[in-house]
Amino acid sequence: MGHATKIDKRIAFLGAGNMAGALVRGLLASGAVDAQQIWCVDVRPERLEELGKKHGVRTGRSNREAAAWADVVFLATKPQVFDRLLPEVAEGIRPEALAVSIAAGIPIAAIEARLPAGARVVRTMPNTPAIVDAGATAIAAGTHATPDDLALVKRIFDDIGISVVLDESLLDAVTGLSGSGPAYIFLIIEALADAGVKVGLHRDSAQLLAAQTVLGSAKLLIETGEHPGRLKDMVTSPGGTAIAGLHTLEAGGLRKTLMDAVETATARAKQLGEDASKKLGK
């Protein structure tokens, strides 16, 4: 996914977990930045050594130093330690720098309140398939973020999947759908594989066939742009096997159960966001 133009910015990742690692890999693979434009900070020396060896990026232990160096500062630690991270960033971050949060549930207002006045903040909600360049990320602008800021963040996340720009008020819904959704899909794949075993397939074959079926169906939907109902109709021949299976899914309330799951997860995301705001004193 090479880009014609390079990103002429220094990028710091404060917290170098799986998501930061995916972003570093995506940025370097697309040729958008060179290794010396990236600085990763983490409390685990072995993680820093791994990233340094694998990608040749700068590594260190000081959030303050990295924030002072960078044009784009990714807030990528666990949400629980944001109350410790934000004061360090506030001391270091340059007035013209952009802060990008990938922490689930931390509202933009809570971040802006702890950074210098007028700080530009963009909040994102990626998901775990970003680790294999198949992420789905939502991006929301803070009070002072510019269209250029949003375009830059979108470009970075598009290197590891797809991204959409939304109002922050919709991020809880995104958390309930695509943020938590991989867990629902893994459960579905596991259930399909179990069923394959029950009807006589070997476990390895059943799991591979189930997983590839989910992958292939999603790819077919995205690449054709067809309505899922229409694609479903293509599979269901009169009096055939698929329609018999669908009848059972409807009888079991699969559609309602999945809708309820997204709704419940969204409500939980909202609650966690409110708790996080309280903890950060906003």
Side-chain angles (χ1 to χ4, degrees):
M1 293 202 283
H3 289 295
T5 54
K6 291 184 87 68
I7 295 173
D8 187 23
K9 292 188 186 299
R10 298 190 290 198
I11 303 173
F13 291 91
L14 311 185
N18 286 335
M19 197 57 66
L23 285 162
V24 168
R25 201 195 58 249
L27 279 164
L28 294 173
S30 72
V33 299
D34 301 323
Q36 65 268 25
Q37 289 171 257
I38 296 175
W39 186 343
C40 294
V41 178
D42 203 88
V43 291
R44 299 162 297 163
E46 68 281 5
R47 175 61 173 163
L48 294 178
E49 194 184 346
E50 181 194 346
L51 287 168
K53 271 195 183 135
K54 196 191 265 180
H55 300 300
V57 295
R58 251 182 113 154
T59 61
R61 301 291 292 275
S62 168
N63 289 320
R64 198 178 285 110
E65 276 179 43
W69 170 85
D71 303 305
V72 182
V73 179
F74 274 87
L75 310 173
T77 61
K78 290 190 165 56
Q80 299 86 288
V81 298
F82 254 53
D83 53 341
R84 292 207 298 279
L85 174 69
L86 288 174
E88 293 181 15
V89 175
E91 281 177 31
I93 196 164
R94 304 209 312 275
E96 67 278 14
L98 169 66
V100 183
S101 171
I102 62 171
I106 307 274
I108 291 169
I111 298 170
E112 288 177 342
R114 302 293 283 275
L115 293 182
R120 296 186 351 264
V121 177
V122 171
R123 180 181 162 197
T124 68
M125 180 67 220
N127 65 0
T128 55
I131 296 165
V132 290
D133 295 340
T137 303
I139 298 166
T143 318
H144 310 289
T146 66
D148 282 351
D149 293 335
L150 281 179
L152 175 67
V153 175
K154 185 167 187 353
R155 177 174 165 183
I156 291 170
F157 279 95
D158 283 346
D159 279 337
I160 55 167
I162 63 110
S163 64
V164 294
V165 176
L166 300 170
D167 279 343
E168 189 190 19
S169 61
L170 295 170
L171 286 193
D172 291 332
V174 170
T175 306
L177 177 60
S178 53
S180 312
Y184 319 153
I185 302 301
F186 293 133
L187 187 68
I188 290 169
I189 291 172
E190 191 179 33
L192 289 170
D194 282 346
V197 171
K198 191 179 180 196
V199 294
L201 292 171
H202 188 275
R203 165 71 57 188
D204 292 351
S205 303
Q207 194 168 297
L208 192 59
L209 289 167
Q212 179 67 21
T213 299
V214 171
L215 175 68
S217 305
K219 194 171 194 295
L220 186 60
L221 178 74
I222 288 169
E223 292 193 6
T224 61
E226 283 284 5
H227 186 280
R230 177 126 193 250
L231 292 171
K232 177 205 70 180
D233 291 351
M234 279 167 56
V235 186
T236 49
S237 49
T241 57
I243 197 71
L246 282 170
H247 183 133
T248 306
L249 291 178
E250 291 290 2
L254 178 74
R255 209 183 274 253
K256 177 189 184 302
T257 305
L258 285 171
M259 287 173 75
D260 288 350
V262 172
E263 202 169 12
T264 307
T266 299
R268 180 67 181 143
K270 187 169 186 288
Q271 182 60 55
L272 289 171
E274 285 165 9
D275 295 349
S277 285
K278 283 195 194 101
K279 189 184 173 196
L280 281 166
K282 177 69 189 169

